[in-house]
Amino acid sequence: MHPHGPITHAPYRREPYVRAQLDDGRTVDAKAAAWTRTHVLLHWIDEDGKAWNVWVVAVRVRRIRAEESEWRDPYDLEW
């Protein structure tokens, strides 16, 4: 269990796209890999090819359509 409660995971390869503000003030487009009532686990790959997995407070995250995202998961089948 996560310190903020039970974790819900998105179905594999069906994670929703989100736009989120990180603690350092940057905004990123990512996928929501998992969440609790208060936090969301973001996953994205930056322009240098580094994969990130970061928990963010849920109020800083909003769902977006895949077409709106500036980052696209390279494993998505539909582009």
Side-chain angles (χ1 to χ4, degrees):
M1 181 178 310
H2 190 271
H4 300 289
I7 297 174
T8 301
H9 292 271
Y12 183 66
R13 293 283 152 233
R14 297 192 53 202
E15 302 91 344
Y17 279 91
V18 295
R19 183 162 290 146
Q21 183 180 16
L22 304 178
D23 289 342
D24 65 7
R26 289 182 297 148
T27 299
V28 297
D29 290 350
K31 280 194 164 182
W35 52 88
T36 68
R37 286 187 331 105
T38 60
H39 289 74
V40 179
L41 178 61
L42 305 179
H43 169 77
W44 78 97
I45 301 170
D46 69 17
E47 58 277 350
D48 295 325
K50 181 178 178 184
W52 293 86
N53 292 289
V54 178
W55 285 99
V56 177
V57 177
V59 296
R60 293 184 176 175
V61 180
R62 71 176 177 87
R63 191 170 181 164
I64 60 173
R65 293 188 331 267
E67 302 82 42
E68 296 175 72
S69 181
E70 292 184 21
W71 172 76
R72 294 298 295 266
D73 186 333
Y75 294 102
D76 277 357
L77 298 177
E78 300 173 11
W79 280 51

